[in-house]
């Protein structure tokens, strides 16, 4: 006589039942239609792209999300479509248990706005071009002048330093690149021009400017100056 281990048989049957139910439920669930689609924007940026525009891409140009079956969705393809949009830095797309097609979207972050022969566009935090938006205008430095492939990388580093510094971000509103590659900058609240010179010792020059600004602003004499010269890293020269 063979001795059967009923505990093992019982465990096997339970395991088989769980697999069967899971497979049946998954197959049935995949054929269900979506209940709706929703878009969630993350980050602090204002909306450069409308939720309706992202939602339209989500449901693959169908006017109603409830007409789409779960098993006919290609989530990877949808993510690729969203990530290809000029305003979007990254998108994660998934379907919730209750049948909601959801996209979590992070927009690109503009750090400067360029004016040149090609028109006007933003430079984002990754150093790439970003188109203007009809929904919102970012308050970033306006950049003009001799911008080319040779100086674009150095300019991006400069823009990033300004954007990452709360004082400079509020203070510097304009940058003009001269033919000799030197920079002229404009201040938000005062009429003086900042002669920054070439893009060398950038952090040291900005450090000098911040120290000068904080010291002189205490006696309200900043209104008297027409030019602030930062070309010399050991000193700040002012012209009235």
């Amino acid at each position: 006589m063979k001795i059967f281990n009923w505990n093992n048989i019982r465990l096997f049957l339970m395991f088989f039942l769980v697999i069967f139910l899971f497979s049946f439920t998954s197959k049935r669930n995949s054929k269900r239609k979506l209940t709706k689609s929703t878009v969630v924007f993350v980050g602090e940026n204002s909306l450069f792209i409308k939720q309706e525009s992202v939602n339209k891409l989500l449901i693959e140009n169908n006017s109603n999300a409830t007409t789409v079956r779960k098993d006919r969705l290609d989530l990877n393809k949808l993510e690729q479509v969203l990530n290809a949009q000029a305003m979007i830095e990254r998108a994660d797309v998934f379907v919730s248990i209750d049948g909601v097609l959801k996209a979590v979207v992070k927009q690109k972050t503009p750090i400067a706005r360029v004016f040149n022969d090609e028109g006007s566009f933003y430079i984002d935090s990754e150093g790439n071009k970003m188109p203007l938006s009809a929904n919102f205008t970012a308050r970033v430095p306006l950049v003009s002048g001799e911008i080319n492939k040779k100086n674009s990388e150095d300019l991006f580093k400069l823009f990033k330093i300004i954007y990452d510094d709360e004082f400079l971000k509020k203070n510097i509103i304009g940058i003009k690149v001269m033919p000799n590659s030197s920079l002229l900058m404009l201040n938000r609240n005062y009429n003086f021009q900042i002669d920054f010179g070439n893009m060398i010792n950038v952090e040291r020059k900005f450090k000098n400017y911040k120290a000068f600004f904080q010291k002189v602003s205490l006696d309200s004499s900043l209104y008297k100056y027409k030019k602030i010269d930062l070309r010399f890293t050991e000193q700040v020269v002012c012209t009235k």
Side-chain angles (χ1 to χ4, degrees):
M1 291 180 63
K2 294 183 178 179
I3 299 176
F4 294 96
N5 190 328
W6 292 108
N7 288 331
N8 290 340
I9 294 175
R10 202 158 35 200
L11 287 173
F12 175 78
L13 291 174
M14 291 177 62
F15 181 71
F16 177 80
L17 180 62
V18 169
I19 292 178
F20 172 78
L21 291 175
F22 177 79
S23 177
F24 176 78
T25 304
S26 298
K27 187 174 182 180
R28 188 176 180 182
N29 184 56
S30 67
K31 291 183 178 181
R32 290 181 179 175
K33 293 180 179 180
L34 300 175
T35 57
K36 63 177 181 178
S37 61
T38 183
V39 180
V40 177
F41 287 93
V42 296
E44 299 178 354
N45 291 337
S46 297
L47 297 184
F48 294 102
I49 183 172
K50 293 183 178 180
Q51 290 191 353
E52 293 82 0
S53 299
V54 179
N55 191 61
K56 185 177 180 180
L57 293 170
L58 264 185
I59 58 177
E60 300 179 309
N61 296 321
N62 289 292
S63 59
N64 190 346
T66 58
T67 64
V68 184
R69 273 174 40 173
K70 288 184 180 181
D71 60 348
R72 293 180 179 174
L73 278 176
D74 187 339
L75 298 180
N76 288 330
K77 182 179 178 181
L78 287 178
E79 286 187 351
Q80 291 174 6
V81 170
L82 293 183
N83 288 329
Q85 297 304 301
M87 299 290 186
I88 295 176
E89 179 178 324
R90 187 185 71 254
D92 296 313
V93 182
F94 58 93
V95 179
S96 63
I97 297 176
D98 54 352
V100 177
L101 177 62
K102 183 177 289 188
V104 180
V105 176
K106 181 181 180 182
Q107 298 179 110
K108 291 182 178 179
T109 302
I111 61 175
R113 180 174 176 177
V114 175
F115 290 88
N116 61 15
D117 296 336
E118 299 178 21
S120 183
F121 55 89
Y122 292 120
I123 298 295
D124 70 16
S125 58
E126 300 296 322
N128 301 314
K129 289 184 180 180
M130 174 182 172
L132 304 184
S133 170
N135 301 324
F136 181 75
T137 301
R139 296 184 68 180
V140 293
L142 305 180
V143 186
S144 62
E146 301 294 323
I147 304 169
N148 50 56
K149 292 182 179 180
K150 292 182 178 180
N151 61 19
S152 60
E153 186 175 345
D154 288 334
L155 282 171
F156 166 65
K157 293 177 181 178
L158 180 88
F159 302 154
K160 198 73 169 61
I161 290 174
I162 294 174
Y163 184 83
D164 290 338
D165 187 288
E166 285 301 318
F167 172 82
L168 297 175
K169 185 178 180 179
K170 296 177 181 178
N171 195 276
I172 305 298
I173 62 170
I175 302 171
K176 185 174 182 180
V177 186
M178 306 303 290
N180 63 354
S181 297
S182 65
L183 305 177
L184 296 178
M185 300 183 184
L186 297 177
N187 178 280
R188 183 176 301 279
N189 298 315
Y190 301 93
N191 293 325
F192 58 74
Q193 192 177 70
I194 304 168
D195 189 349
F196 196 82
N198 294 325
M199 287 180 282
I200 56 175
N201 299 316
V202 171
E203 294 184 353
R204 179 64 181 272
K205 291 178 180 179
F206 276 136
K207 184 178 180 180
N208 289 346
Y209 175 66
K210 290 166 67 175
F212 160 79
F213 191 94
Q214 292 170 1
K215 181 178 180 180
V216 179
S217 62
L218 296 176
D219 58 13
S220 302
S221 60
L222 281 170
Y223 291 100
K224 302 177 182 179
Y225 299 115
K226 294 182 179 180
K227 186 172 78 170
I228 308 298
D229 195 336
L230 301 177
R231 291 177 298 168
F232 313 102
T233 56
E234 299 301 324
Q235 59 182 339
V236 176
V237 180
C238 305
T239 303
K240 293 184 179 181

